[in-house]
Amino acid sequence: MQNNEHGYQASTNSPIVVTRTCGHIVSVNSKVLEAGISVAFSSDAPATAWADPVNPFVGIQAAVTRRAYDGTDTGQHERISIEKAIELYTKGAQEITRIQGVGQLKPGYHADFIVLEEDILEIPELEIGNTRVLETFMAGQSVFRKVSEKTLVV
């Protein structure tokens, strides 16, 4: 039997880490990923209790630490790597939405990417949610640049 033979997919808000699919409640965690179910992370803005509901770094932190905004443990045994969480916000989202040319940096894709103030692969897990974007590129062109406390749109 192949994994995910029924073609199940889940697009979920990683801080909540639960989604309703085909009438079933499924916790989006490492077991779901191991079963081969396609998963994409997203925000649940504005319907969320998180302080910054559209900040994907808050969701990445929640998936990596399995801690809710109020510190509630949502299952330490179901943590995923930061690399996997980033992939679910990017490549995973593209695979489920089927929007062409996004989700990865590779030949033939749009050159959409961000520059962060620090390397989220190197900072403590509990600080991931505080990450800030310094610059945003779309189609290889800078469209946003943070200058000190002011924001400059290019």
Side-chain angles (χ1 to χ4, degrees):
M1 177 189 299
Q2 278 189 323
N3 284 340
N4 197 18
E5 70 180 88
H6 299 289
Y8 293 127
Q9 297 178 328
S11 177
T12 186
N13 165 345
S14 61
I16 292 177
V17 295
V18 172
T19 187
R20 180 175 289 278
T21 327
C22 302
H24 302 283
I25 298 292
V26 179
S27 175
V28 176
N29 54 35
S30 59
K31 286 185 179 67
V32 170
L33 297 171
E34 289 167 7
I37 295 173
S38 298
V39 175
F41 282 164
S42 65
S43 78
D44 199 24
T48 180
W50 294 81
D52 190 356
V54 297
N55 182 349
F57 302 108
V58 171
I60 290 170
Q61 179 178 314
V64 170
T65 65
R66 295 295 291 208
R67 297 271 177 202
Y69 70 95
D70 63 358
T72 300
D73 181 341
T74 60
Q76 294 298 296
H77 62 287
E78 296 296 350
R79 295 167 58 143
I80 62 173
S81 71
I82 188 165
E83 293 86 358
K84 178 56 80 173
I86 293 167
E87 179 184 321
L88 295 177
Y89 266 102
T90 56
K91 183 180 179 197
Q94 184 281 323
E95 289 173 351
I96 286 180
T97 63
R98 295 191 172 105
I99 298 171
Q100 297 298 311
V102 299
Q104 301 177 67
L105 286 176
K106 66 184 214 179
Y109 278 56
H110 301 292
D112 299 343
F113 62 95
I114 55 177
V115 177
L116 305 177
E117 67 182 353
E118 52 195 332
D119 184 348
I120 64 172
L121 301 176
E122 300 296 327
I123 62 175
E125 292 174 342
L126 292 174
E127 293 179 18
I128 294 169
N130 298 323
T131 301
R132 298 291 173 247
V133 174
L134 296 179
E135 194 164 8
T136 302
F137 289 80
M138 294 183 70
Q141 301 296 313
S142 178
V143 296
F144 165 87
R145 184 179 307 129
K146 182 174 181 155
V147 180
S148 66
E149 293 304 311
K150 296 181 181 179
T151 301
L152 171 67
V153 177
V154 184

